Amino acid sequence: EIYGDIFNNSDLPENVRGAALSGKIRIAGVSGRAIIWNILQGKEKSLFLYAIKMIPECCDDDSIQPYCTLLPNLSEPFNVHLITVLAGFRSPAVLAAVTSSLMSENRSVRMAALHALEKVGDSSSVRLLSRYAAEASGEEKEAARTSLWNLSGEDIDKAVMDELNDNTSSEIQ
């Protein structure tokens, strides 16, 4: 297998090995999940972005959960990229992982989570986003407002009305 030979040659430049990794994952199909998982559990951080970008090639809403568990263990740039990829999936595990990322000390991670909630959020996200929009400042406030405004799905309108009725804060009103 040519992709494996190129990928395993650590003397080659990162971009060449990354392209080989992408090819290896692509031809592996569903088995590519294990390749991605092993890379993200390994020490070669230079290959993490290549692996993260390939997650949509191998996963669907039902198989994405294991990758959600990686968020607390990855550093900031990889968290941001993984959250961005996770935003393409609709799964309770993704929603929980993205919501938890709002507690990050890193502003870039919080911003990625706020933007992702626009896509993965549901009616349970309304209260969190409305309070975040009321209490945050700057870009985070705007991202929370945008995500709240663009949420779609079942019971969103009802959740917004309930939040308006339940909360008397002038910022939320």
Side-chain angles (χ1 to χ4, degrees):
E1 162 188 288
I2 185 109
Y3 290 123
D5 292 342
I6 294 170
F7 171 72
N8 291 328
N9 185 344
S10 60
D11 293 332
L12 292 173
E14 169 194 321
N15 63 328
V16 173
R17 292 185 67 223
L21 174 63
S22 297
K24 186 175 174 171
I25 292 168
R26 189 167 281 122
I27 64 169
V30 174
S31 299
R33 293 179 199 158
I35 299 169
I36 294 169
W37 184 259
N38 290 334
I39 293 294
L40 295 176
Q41 294 293 312
K43 293 182 179 11
E44 285 192 85
K45 293 187 186 300
S46 64
L47 297 173
F48 280 19
L49 289 180
Y50 295 97
I52 290 169
K53 286 183 198 175
M54 295 304 294
I55 290 172
E57 298 271 339
C58 303
C59 295
D60 58 21
D61 293 342
D62 295 326
S63 61
I64 194 65
Q65 188 277 331
Y67 300 98
C68 297
T69 65
L70 294 172
L71 282 173
N73 304 317
L74 296 175
S75 60
E76 177 264 334
F78 304 120
N79 263 328
V80 170
H81 288 288
L82 183 55
I83 289 168
T84 302
V85 166
L86 291 175
F89 296 90
R90 298 291 292 202
S91 144
V94 170
L95 178 56
V98 168
T99 301
S100 293
S101 295
L102 287 174
M103 302 306 150
S104 172
E105 292 180 14
N106 187 286
R107 187 176 97 45
S108 297
V109 172
R110 291 191 308 270
M111 287 294 293
L114 286 167
H115 289 296
L117 280 173
E118 181 176 343
K119 296 176 185 170
V120 303
D122 61 15
S123 61
S124 70
S125 308
V126 169
R127 175 163 283 170
L128 174 69
L129 284 170
S130 66
R131 293 182 186 209
Y132 210 100
E135 297 168 8
S137 61
E139 290 179 334
E140 289 181 76
K141 182 183 209 80
E142 289 307 310
R145 285 179 173 176
T146 300
S147 289
L148 182 59
W149 180 258
N150 290 318
L151 277 179
S152 63
E154 196 173 313
D155 297 328
I156 298 293
D157 291 341
K158 180 182 179 327
V160 169
M161 294 307 296
D162 289 347
E163 179 64 13
L164 288 171
N165 288 332
D166 294 347
N167 196 312
T168 59
S169 165
S170 62
E171 283 291 323
I172 291 178
Q173 294 296 320

